[in-house]
């Protein structure tokens, strides 16, 4: 009589090498540990990000109605795309978008080019005191944006600035707060603030490049300039793309710099940037219109950022 033996299910499913595959017990204590570690992140993320975004989206589809005549009561109701139609018909909105677009087209490439040059210099063997220059370049990022705008507004003010006095004594008469210069004065503040931050991202990417590539390039006769532009820059291209996306997002969120400069310049209106327009509309108690403006800004930010990433991915063949 033939003896029939049975094997455990784990033994049947084990690979030929004899090792058992680890299985995640989703209902065991490991799952509880994962949830405990993720909760401190997801709870604030839901409460302070997803809920406000959802509330703004809901408000953007509401309109205020009145009943009972001039002295009646007001109430909000569903209005469809009425608020969005008002946004797209608002000339101040399109003026602010055009202004911020011009700001980004000039400021972002200048800032990232300066950050790239500084990162390459810090990674170069020719530069001494690298730690000092790295900390010095990154230090402006530690200054809050409002404080930085106040500092620069002092330097821009014709009545207070020693820089303006020096240039006046040299026969130059700059007007940093004039109608044609105030946008670039704000761009200068943003560049001063964020160049060191972007430089650090690029410099970190440069540090991950194997030194063997540089040694092989030098054996082939490449100099420091060729190594920088033909090896380093192409390798850290993903970091450059990432900083560009961050800069596009930050450009459309511009608020602190022009808001502070508005206190000393009459050439900055309350609708100078899209964010300032949304804030001004909200201060006027038109929260539904402000929510619609915010949603449109978010959509434009997403389209530009995602479009840039897709464009660069296609060119890179990814």
């Amino acid at each position: 009589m033939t003896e029939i033996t049975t094997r455990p299910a784990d033994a049947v499913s084990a690979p030929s090498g004899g090792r058992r595959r680890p299985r995640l017990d989703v209902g065991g204590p490991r799952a509880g540990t994962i949830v405990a570690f993720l909760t401190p992140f997801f709870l604030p993320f839901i409460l302070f990000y997803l809920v406000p975004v959802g509330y703004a989206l809901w408000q953007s589809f509401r309109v205020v109605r009145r009943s009972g005549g001039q002295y009646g009561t007001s109430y909000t109701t569903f209005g469809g795309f009425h608020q969005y139609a008002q946004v797209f018909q608002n000339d101040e909105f399109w003026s602010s978008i055009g202004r911020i677009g011009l700001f980004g087209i000039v400021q972002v490439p200048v800032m990232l080019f300066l950050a790239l040059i500084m990162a390459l210099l810090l990674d170069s063997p020719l530069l001494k005191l690298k730690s000092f220059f790295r900390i010095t370049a990154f230090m402006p990022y530690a200054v809050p944006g409002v404080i930085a705008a106040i500092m620069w507004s002092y330097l821009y003010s014709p009545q207070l600035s020693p820089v303006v006095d020096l240039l006046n004594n040299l026969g130059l008469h700059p007007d940093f707060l004039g109608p044609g210069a105030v946008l670039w004065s704000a761009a200068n503040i943003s560049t001063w603030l964020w160049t060191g931050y972007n430089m650090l991202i690029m410099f970190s990417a440069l540090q991950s490049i194997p030194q063997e590539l540089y040694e092989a390039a030098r054996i082939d006769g490449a100099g420091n300039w060729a190594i920088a532009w033909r090896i380093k820059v192409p390798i850290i291209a993903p970091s450059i793309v990432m900083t560009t996306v961050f800069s596009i997002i930050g450009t459309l969120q511009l608020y602190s710099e022009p808001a502070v400069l508005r206190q000393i310049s009459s050439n900055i209106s309350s609708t100078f940037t899209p964010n300032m327009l949304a804030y001004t509309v909200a201060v006027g108690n038109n929260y539904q219109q402000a929510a619609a403006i915010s949603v449109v800004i978010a959509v434009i930010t997403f389209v530009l950022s995602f479009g840039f990433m897709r464009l660069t991915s296609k060119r890179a063949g990814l």
Side-chain angles (χ1 to χ4, degrees), residues 240-261:
I240 299 175
V241 172
M242 181 179 66
T243 53
T244 304
V245 171
F246 288 166
S247 301
I248 292 173
I249 296 172
T251 297
L252 288 165
Q253 294 177 347
L254 184 68
Y255 179 84
S256 299
E257 293 83 349
V260 172
L261 293 179

Side-chain angles (χ1 to χ4, degrees), residues 210-225:
Q211 295 295 319
E212 290 79 5
L213 291 178
Y214 304 150
E215 296 174 2
R218 290 189 179 94
I219 293 175
D220 291 339
N224 292 326
W225 178 267

Side-chain angles (χ1 to χ4, degrees), residues 121-134:
L121 288 174
L122 288 174
D123 192 61
S124 172
L126 303 178
L127 184 66
K128 307 300 181 182
L129 301 176
K130 293 184 179 181
S131 298
F132 170 78
F133 287 110
R134 184 168 62 248

